[in-house]
Amino acid sequence: MKKNLLSVAVAASAAGVASLSTAQMYLNSEGTGEALVFPFYSAQGGNDTYIQIGNTTSHYKAVRVRVVEGKAGLGAAEFNLYLSPEDHFSFAITSDGDGARMLTGDSSCTVPQITGPVSFSDALWGGADESREQMGYLEVIEMGQIAATSDTAADI
């Protein structure tokens, strides 16, 4: 009798834990959201990767963009991007000799300001292997919305 009661208790607790983990997931039916991962970029072998980040809303947005090398997940470049309503930001990742760099002609507001090519940094892994910059992934995370009547929105 005790074995049967114990089995029921274990099964009930396992079902409760399983239902908690799935309750946290939400998928927007429009395919939009506050976080985006570009799972792969490559500047190896003459390849270029073209990225476009769009704000599909009527709100001003503050976004964090982080370029991550593929070997150990270390940051190679990162910046804040500020987008006005219905705005977009486009750039390419291309080879920079042994490493990689970002190229854009876009005039969107960024911090630090991007005015020309941005070479990726190998400082986090000691500069021993620049080729690590040529392949990885990107994280784009919305930091928040900016009030349309604010000075920041006017600057964007």
Side-chain angles (χ1 to χ4, degrees):
M1 185 83 157
K2 286 185 181 180
K3 278 186 180 180
N4 195 15
L5 185 57
L6 180 61
S7 298
V8 171
V10 169
S13 69
V17 170
S19 67
L20 286 176
S21 64
T22 59
Q24 301 303 314
M25 181 67 116
Y26 170 75
L27 296 175
N28 185 325
S29 61
E30 295 178 13
T32 61
E34 290 85 21
L36 173 64
V37 175
F38 291 87
F40 182 73
Y41 77 83
S42 177
Q44 292 179 327
N47 289 313
D48 294 334
T49 301
Y50 298 91
I51 305 289
Q52 183 171 339
I53 301 167
N55 176 8
T56 60
T57 73
S58 59
H59 304 285
Y60 289 83
K61 300 282 185 172
V63 178
R64 181 69 170 173
V65 179
R66 184 170 179 250
V67 180
V68 181
E69 58 85 34
K71 186 173 181 180
L74 299 173
E78 53 189 74
F79 57 95
N80 292 346
L81 171 63
Y82 299 91
L83 295 169
S84 58
E86 306 297 331
D87 193 6
H88 73 278
F89 179 72
S90 302
F91 63 97
I93 298 174
T94 187
S95 177
D96 183 10
D98 292 336
R101 65 182 175 170
M102 182 178 80
L103 301 174
T104 185
D106 201 303
S107 60
S108 293
C109 182
T110 61
V111 175
Q113 185 178 11
I114 297 174
T115 58
V118 176
S119 293
F120 293 171
S121 173
D122 54 6
L124 292 178
W125 57 92
D129 186 6
E130 276 193 341
S131 66
R132 289 171 62 169
E133 302 169 7
Q134 293 186 342
M135 187 172 55
Y137 66 94
L138 280 86
E139 301 170 343
V140 181
I141 299 173
E142 180 183 333
M143 297 184 297
Q145 293 185 22
I146 299 166
T149 57
S150 70
D151 290 341
T152 303
D155 288 342
I156 294 171

